Amino acid sequence: MEYKVEELSPVKRKVSVEVGVEEVHAALGATVALYRKGVDIKGFRKGKVPTSVVEAKFRKQIYGEATTDLINYHINEILGETKLAPLSRIDVDAKEMERDEKFSYSFSFEIAPDFALPEYKGLAVEEEDVAVDPQQVQDVIERIRQNMAKTVIIKEERPVVTGDIAVIDFQAFQDGAAMEGIAANKFELPLGEGNSLPEFEDIVIGMIPGQSQEKELTFPADFINDKLAGQTVSMQVTLHAIKVRQLPEVDDDFAELAGGYTSVQDLKDAIEKSYLSTRSQLAKGDAQKKLLDGIKAEVSFELPQSVVEEQIDKQIVELQGKLERQGKSLEALGVAPADLRAEQRPMAEDVVKSSLVLLAIANAEGLTVEPQEVDLVLQKMAASTGQDFHSIKDYYEQHNLMIPLKDRVLADKAMDLIYANAQVTKVPAAPKAQEA
């Protein structure tokens, strides 16, 4: 086998490979032998079927597998010899091998650009000093009270209002026919919390327990269910009861139930400590971003476009998930796919450039990632999502996600190194803008 590496651009390489007839025969022979061991053909004992018969019967599979196996073997060998590390998938341009003929093919891929690193140690940066606002602690306590509240049915006869929980039956109709999937019995609907359509809540607000009414409801044009988006239905609603939340008193019993604290002061101290830790990490993250932005501004290089496209794909998937959690769909944005990708490109390019700069610094510093460090990230991921660690690890391995994950850990190490060697000056937090 002989090969030639071409530099198509600073970040793209093409490898052309020439394979002699003898190696073609050897590759085909090895694959035929594997088939011959396990094949059952009437009239022959297992493992004793003539090679020519096996090859004739399974020609398509044998030649396809032999071609793929040989190419994969060559790619690993060539990448090892050239020390080239593809950042993107490897695109192969090849036909099937043929007996008694030389075999030629090529494959291409993108690599990290080669660029000179600017100074990344001893950089000056300002970091916001973190202080706790007592009102923020109180806000957390109020959220805990809301979560621990009990709901009770009120006996007072009055209209349901925002802040109540309405216990309702509802059914949607269109052209006089009940619509499947848009109905519920004894459904508890919190009013004014943004969990349902405001237009639906408007139908319920003002009703009295025991009352039924029917009103038209028009679904928003960006509603997550495309079949309902923009549609007008007739909604029948019956209010059975009104529930309200009874908030617990903030006392030592409350602190005990909230997390095993012995007193309200212990609870407040824990909230303050958690707040300081979270805000400190955010402030550190902002300082790290300023450091990295300064380094990136000093370098210019061509970005591997396949990596940028993969990042755009990832951002669009994240956007789609965010919209769906809001009850909206990607299509409802009214943006053509090409325009949406164009909108996402600047962010994607910035993310890819950040990663390449950090990985270059990691390489310059000789930073490495141990397998147990990658496992730790996966364990945290499993704990936060409630999934099994081994299931997540298997998924990452089967979908070729372990190398990108390892690179992410390596990039984080490089960022920590930059920050640890920076001249960090703490500055007072900027005053919050007053609401008009």
Side-chain angles (χ1 to χ4, degrees):
M1 178 268 293
E2 295 180 353
Y3 65 87
K4 180 180 69 174
V5 180
E6 296 178 71
E7 183 176 318
L8 302 182
S9 80
V11 294
K12 190 163 188 177
R13 299 292 183 270
K14 177 181 177 181
V15 181
S16 300
V17 184
E18 294 284 342
V19 184
V21 173
E22 287 185 3
E23 192 172 358
V24 169
H25 286 172
L28 290 171
T31 307
V32 170
L34 288 174
Y35 269 76
R36 187 167 178 259
K37 281 183 181 179
V39 72
D40 280 319
I41 296 179
K42 192 175 180 180
F44 298 96
R45 283 186 297 160
K46 191 172 182 179
K48 300 297 183 180
V49 184
T51 298
S52 58
V53 174
V54 174
E55 185 173 337
K57 185 172 180 61
F58 300 100
R59 187 187 188 286
K60 184 176 180 181
Q61 298 97 312
I62 288 171
Y63 278 60
E65 288 179 24
T67 301
T68 300
D69 290 346
L70 184 62
I71 289 174
N72 287 337
Y73 176 80
H74 285 163
I75 288 174
N76 288 327
E77 184 179 14
I78 292 168
L79 293 180
E81 290 179 0
T82 59
K83 307 299 182 186
L84 292 171
L87 285 177
S88 62
R89 70 175 185 274
I90 296 174
D91 293 319
V92 177
D93 182 10
K95 295 180 180 178
E96 255 183 23
M97 293 188 294
E98 294 289 345
R99 275 202 180 277
D100 303 318
E101 292 183 15
K102 291 182 179 180
F103 177 51
S104 301
Y105 68 94
S106 66
F107 62 94
S108 57
F109 52 89
E110 288 186 307
I111 60 172
D114 186 22
F115 58 93
L117 282 169
E119 184 56 62
Y120 53 84
K121 292 182 179 179
L123 303 177
V125 68
E126 291 184 347
E127 181 178 321
E128 188 176 284
D129 205 4
V130 178
V132 178
D133 182 347
Q135 183 57 49
Q136 291 166 327
V137 175
Q138 191 58 42
D139 290 343
V140 174
I141 290 177
E142 285 304 310
R143 287 198 294 273
I144 296 173
R145 291 182 75 203
Q146 289 288 338
N147 292 336
M148 293 174 60
K150 296 179 180 178
T151 58
V152 295
I153 296 175
I154 65 169
K155 296 180 180 180
E156 173 191 359
E157 187 173 331
R158 65 165 175 81
V160 65
V161 297
T162 298
D164 291 337
I165 300 171
V167 183
I168 61 172
D169 293 346
F170 66 89
Q171 172 69 66
F173 292 83
Q174 196 167 48
D175 299 328
M179 300 180 70
E180 188 177 346
I182 313 178
N185 293 319
K186 301 295 176 62
F187 180 75
E188 295 193 1
L189 173 67
L191 297 171
E193 296 184 5
N195 296 327
S196 58
L197 290 174
E199 296 86 350
F200 182 57
E201 292 191 11
D202 288 343
I203 296 175
V204 179
I205 292 173
M207 293 179 68
I208 296 172
Q211 179 184 355
S212 296
Q213 66 176 358
E214 184 172 348
K215 289 187 176 181
E216 284 192 346
L217 169 66
T218 300
F219 289 96
D222 61 354
F223 193 59
I224 187 170
N225 188 328
D226 294 338
K227 295 180 180 178
L228 295 175
Q231 295 290 313
T232 298
V233 302
S234 180
M235 189 70 73
Q236 287 184 3
V237 179
T238 297
L239 177 64
H240 292 290
I242 300 172
K243 286 187 174 183
V244 295
R245 289 187 176 92
Q246 286 186 342
L247 301 178
E249 294 294 324
V250 181
D251 53 22
D252 290 348
D253 290 337
F254 168 78
E256 170 70 25
L257 290 171
Y261 300 100
T262 56
S263 67
V264 173
Q265 189 56 52
D266 284 346
L267 171 60
K268 289 182 176 179
D269 290 344
I271 293 171
E272 183 173 325
K273 182 179 179 181
S274 175
Y275 176 86
L276 282 172
S277 175
T278 301
R279 294 301 302 176
S280 295
Q281 285 300 315
L282 289 172
K284 178 182 177 181
D286 288 341
Q288 288 180 327
K289 184 179 184 305
K290 286 187 282 188
L291 287 166
L292 183 56
D293 285 345
I295 295 170
K296 288 190 299 182
E298 296 294 319
V299 294
S300 178
F301 50 80
E302 182 178 333
L303 296 175
Q305 286 308 300
S306 62
V307 181
V308 173
E309 294 298 328
E310 288 174 5
Q311 179 61 32
I312 292 174
D313 291 339
K314 187 185 300 184
Q315 290 171 194
I316 290 176
V317 169
E318 290 172 356
L319 174 62
Q320 184 174 12
K322 181 180 178 181
L323 288 170
E324 288 178 353
R325 288 191 292 273
Q326 297 172 352
K328 301 177 180 179
S329 66
L330 196 62
E331 292 75 16
L333 292 176
V335 181
D339 293 336
L340 182 60
R341 296 188 72 83
E343 288 177 6
Q344 295 292 323
R345 183 170 293 278
M347 183 192 299
E349 290 179 343
D350 186 64
V351 170
V352 172
K353 185 173 184 179
S354 296
S355 176
L356 291 172
V357 167
L358 288 172
L359 291 175
I361 292 172
N363 183 59
E365 292 290 330
L367 301 179
T368 58
V369 175
E370 299 299 325
Q372 55 265 35
E373 293 178 283
V374 177
D375 283 351
L376 182 59
V377 174
L378 293 173
Q379 286 166 0
K380 290 180 179 178
M381 204 180 297
S384 65
T385 59
Q387 298 181 67
D388 177 66
F389 162 71
H390 294 290
S391 297
I392 290 182
K393 186 172 183 178
D394 287 345
Y395 178 86
Y396 268 69
E397 287 175 342
Q398 291 169 10
H399 291 79
N400 299 318
L401 296 173
M402 292 300 281
I403 292 177
L405 180 60
K406 180 181 176 182
D407 285 346
R408 196 176 85 194
V409 175
L410 200 55
D412 288 343
K413 281 190 170 186
M415 190 69 255
D416 288 340
L417 181 143
I418 295 167
Y419 180 82
N421 286 276
Q423 299 176 16
V424 181
T425 303
K426 295 293 183 79
V427 297
K432 293 183 178 179
Q434 295 295 318
E435 293 184 5

